[in-house]
Every structure is written in structure tokens, then in C-alpha cells.
Amino acid sequence: MPDDVETQGVGAPTLDMTPEAFRSVGYHVVDVVADFLAGLRERPVAPAQSPEAIRAVLGQRALSEAGGEPAALLDEAAELLFGYNRLTAHPRHWGYIIGSAAPIGAFADFLAAAVNTNLASWYSAAMSTEIEVQAVRWIAELLGYPADCGGLFTSGGNMANFIGFLAARRAKAGPELRARGMAAAGPLRAYVSEETHTWVEKAADLFGIGTDAVRWIPTDDRLRIDLAALERRITEDKAQGDKPFLVVGSAGTVATGAVDPLSEMAALARAHDMWFHVDGAYGALAIVAADAPGELAGLTEADSVAVDPHKWLYTPLEAGCALVRDRQALYDTFSYRPSYYHHPGSADAELVHFYELGPQNSRCFRALKVWLVLRHIGRADFARLVAHDLDMARLLYESMAEAPDIEAVTLGLSIATFRYVPPDLDADAADHAEYLNRLNTALLERLQRGGEAYVSNAVAGGRFVLRACITNFRTTEDDVRALAPIVTRLGRALDQEMRPAGPGGGV
């Protein structure tokens, strides 16, 4: 048995560690992580190995009968994690939407796991609950949202959006929904743009209205919801006896960073007695930057807002946040008080029990990392970091536009999209479209395997494009300027490999 594992007697092992052993292992792990963070630039952004190769590294071992020594196990885990994962902390990680995590967030999770409180009830986690209440208020204040709103932290954007959806369904379907289900609600209809994240389909499916109830509204030339088309569809549905209950605006779409005309959507929702929800999981926090799109101001008019600190508040996963203007709407949607939930007598009616504000009973202490990151950076420097990411995306878009073999396609918030177009091909020619889509699909795969920089993809106007989303405080101008030459080099090589010989390149 390892020296740092104590026993409570014969046949009674314990997972506890002596203080000396805990310090020794802890100091060692901190050194390992510090070296990892210091050497990020020397590592590939993502592993190039196949799934089979990565599984081979892990091995097909069976669970051993005997335990192992913690320091050795942690060393092995660090090697596996650092060497065979996509590294979101890397300065050139611009794929999908996930922020580079502030190191203080790792310490926060360490503290939270050590205490291991369950944030279901105030009585089970008094100080942790008060910290979450305070951190939720700070998020609301950053957005300009009412500080006395209801809110809680969630696993991420899906769950935060689900909470807004469920509050809207309960508010507009009425109190009989709880007992009678959808039979009491009528034919509910929800309205979103064609660029809205797929969470809305999951919500419609899981929560009883069905995916056919989602009205996908076309977008304008800026990929924002078409307000005239939205109002027409609402009016048509009402005339047919349907019940429009929810309008969803995007404060930064996941594909291109488009921001819907939120104030106008809020007014339209009020005119039709509908709930207005803003999916701000990605872009809502950009409102702190001085040069943020003016349309973001409209999110303050929403009935509910979803925002993800782990996207653009540089907080480790998981950290989503749901805000609801009327706190009572959350109690109406989620609160149950069975007899086995004992609440000691208290004169303080303001005590928050988070199991009454959301779907979870067992809840981990997600708020601590958000609370500490905000305190570590402060409001002013947080705004400067967001502005830095916006500037880096703008620079990336401009550098792509200047490259002769690259077409810059869209720029929205901190997302730039682009594609490789060989100089002898017409980017707008219909007979080149299929080949350019295939070429850029192959280019994306080669970029992601190459490890020099990591981007993802989107579809804009029927074109397969490469997509860089910068929510990364480690990204520098040099990193951004390096991408166009990488794309050009790999694109040229792929074009030579893929294009058939013949007149016009055979495409």
C-alpha cells in the first residue's frame, strides 16, 4: 500500500491523505500545470493522432485490484490530458466558442471540490449560496440588466437557454400547465432566426411543444432575423388559432457572431404579449466593450437572458448563467416544497434556495470561479480584454482580405469567417462552388490536424467557410497575422492535390 494512504484498521482503507502527503502531491501538481501553461506555444493546438492511436495510448487496461500512488497517477493523467487533447488555453485556439480559462479559475475549482458543497438549499451551503447570488448580480450588472432579477449558474448555454424557455412556457401557458401539461397550453409557437443555435430544437423536443412548433425566420444580408418576416409569421399563426409565446433574439450567433435587432424584437414581443428571450451565451458579455455593437443594448429589455461565463469571461467549464427579469417566474416554474425538504425557521425571507430556481437539486459550486475571475480582473480590465478580442478578430478579417488567395466573408463580434479561393478561380461562379466547398472542407481538416492554429467552420450564403472565434486573452497580433500565410500554404498544396487536370482546372 502506498505510504501516503492511511488505514483505519485492518480491512478498512481510506482515501484520506496525511497533510504532508497532500502538500507534497499538491505542490508537485502545481509545478506540472505551471510548466504546461508556460510551454503552451511550443505545443500543437490539437493532437494529430487518429482515434485509434489515442485509444492505444490510453490502453485497454482493466481496473486493477490494488490502488496506485497519487503523484504517479496525477503525472500520468497530466501527460494524457496535455498531450492528447485540443488545448483551449493555446494562444492560437480559435475553434468553436470557448474562452481561454484564467488560471485563478483552476484554483477556484480546487477549493470548491475540497469543500464539496451542494448548492441546492441555503442551509446546505450558506456562504456558497451567498457567493452565487452575488456573482449572478455582478453578471446582471455587467449586462445592464436589472440587478434584482432572478438567476443562477448552470452547466452551459443549453441549460441557461432551457431555463428561459421553461419560464416563458409557464408564464404564457398559465398555471394549469403544471398539473395538466401541454393539454392546458394550446398550440404554442416559438420564433427564432435561421441562425439560432440548436438548443431551441432540443427545448421544443424535450419540453413538449415539438420541433414543428419552432418557426425558423429567414435572415437579412447581415444574417440577422428579418423583422418583417417575423411579424408576418406571428400574425399568420395567430389567425390560424396558434398561440405564439416566445421570441428568441441572438446576441451573437454561433456561426458568424450576428446580433439581432434586439430592441425591435422586444417591442414586437410586447405588442403580441409574448416572452422575449435573448440567447446571449456567446456575445452578451461583449456589451462591456466601448465599441460593442449598439444592438446589444436591447438585451436589457428581455424577459430572460442566457450567458456563458465559460465562453467570454475566461472562466473554466462549466459556467453558464440564466437571468430572468421577474424572479417570481422562476419560482412559478421550478419551485416545489415537499415535506421532506425541511427549512428551519428564519426571519430572513430573502434566503435563496437554488433548487427552487432551476431544474437541478444537486448543484456544484460553479459560481466560485466566476466570482474569483471577476474579482481578479475587475470590470475595467475585463472590458479591455473583450475589446482586445474584438480587435484581434477585426485584424484577422483584414489580414484575410489582404491575402490574394483568401476571401474574407463575414465579421461579427469576435468571429471572422473566410475561405481559400485559388486565384485563377472565380469565387462567385456557380460552377466553382462545389469544388471550393470540398477544397475548404479538406483545408479545415488539414489545419486542425496540423497543430499550427485551430479554427472551425460555418456555412455563410451556402458557402463552406473557415471560422475563427477569438475569446482568448493569450492571442497576440503576431498569432493573428500568422494565420493567413498558413491558410495560403496549406490551401495551395491541397489545390494541387485535389484539382483535376484539364481546361479551367477541371472544376
Side-chain angles (χ1 to χ4, degrees), residues 42-64:
E42 284 67 55
R43 292 179 176 270
V45 187
Q49 293 91 339
S50 67
E52 293 77 14
I54 290 177
R55 292 180 190 126
V57 171
L58 179 61
Q60 298 298 317
R61 75 190 86 183
L63 178 62
S64 60

Side-chain angles (χ1 to χ4, degrees), residues 17-291:
M17 298 169 67
T18 66
E20 294 76 15
F22 190 85
R23 288 189 184 94
S24 176
V25 173
Y27 295 155
H28 176 68
V29 170
V30 168
D31 285 341
V32 169
V33 174
D35 289 344
F36 163 69
L37 294 176
L40 278 171
R41 286 192 175 277
E42 284 67 55
R43 292 179 176 270
V45 187
Q49 293 91 339
S50 67
E52 293 77 14
I54 290 177
R55 292 180 190 126
V57 171
L58 179 61
Q60 298 298 317
R61 75 190 86 183
L63 178 62
S64 60
E65 291 294 328
E69 193 274 316
L73 293 173
L74 289 164
D75 276 340
E76 180 186 4
E79 183 177 348
L80 293 172
L81 296 179
F82 300 163
Y84 301 96
N85 275 319
R86 178 165 47 90
L87 302 179
T88 60
H90 197 287
R92 294 187 185 179
H93 181 273
W94 307 313
Y96 316 111
I97 307 176
I98 182 169
S100 51
I104 195 171
F107 289 118
D109 275 345
F110 175 76
L111 287 173
V115 179
N116 198 35
T117 51
N118 179 4
L119 274 80
S121 164
W122 189 93
Y123 296 106
S124 65
M127 180 53 72
S128 299
T129 296
E130 294 297 335
I131 287 173
E132 179 159 349
V133 169
Q134 188 172 83
V136 167
R137 175 168 58 80
W138 288 350
I139 295 291
E141 290 172 347
L142 285 172
L143 300 180
Y145 205 66
D148 61 350
C149 67
L152 71 166
F153 286 101
T154 68
S155 59
N158 270 19
M159 286 305 303
N161 281 306
F162 287 174
I163 286 171
F165 182 98
L166 289 168
R169 190 188 66 161
R170 169 61 176 78
K172 297 305 178 181
E176 291 188 357
L177 176 73
R178 175 164 283 188
R180 296 181 55 212
M182 294 305 297
L188 297 179
R189 301 291 180 254
Y191 302 80
V192 303
S193 91
E194 292 175 340
E195 294 292 307
T196 302
H197 187 275
T198 190
W199 71 262
V200 74
E201 291 175 287
K202 289 186 179 181
D205 178 11
L206 294 173
F207 306 132
I209 72 170
T211 57
D212 285 349
V214 179
R215 303 314 200 208
W216 298 93
I217 307 302
T219 56
D220 61 19
D221 57 359
R222 295 170 57 188
L223 298 177
R224 310 178 316 155
I225 197 167
D226 183 326
L227 286 169
L230 170 61
E231 183 149 31
R232 280 196 304 272
R233 190 59 196 267
I234 292 172
T235 302
E236 291 169 1
D237 284 345
K238 290 173 77 171
Q240 294 174 4
D242 293 341
K243 186 171 182 178
F245 83 106
L246 174 66
V247 174
V248 177
S250 291
T253 58
V254 295
T256 64
V259 179
D260 285 331
L262 301 178
S263 288
E264 292 88 342
M265 295 180 75
L268 191 154
R270 288 192 297 269
H272 290 277
D273 189 28
M274 299 170 67
W275 184 283
F276 179 45
H277 174 75
V278 171
D279 178 0
Y282 158 47
L285 285 165
I287 198 171
V288 302
D291 58 347

Side-chain angles (χ1 to χ4, degrees), residues 398-408 419-425 427 484-485 488 492:
E398 292 168 354
S399 68
M400 294 299 172
E402 293 167 359
D405 295 10
I406 300 175
E407 178 189 12
R419 63 177 183 163
Y420 179 76
V421 179
D424 61 327
L425 296 185
T488 300
R492 286 175 178 170

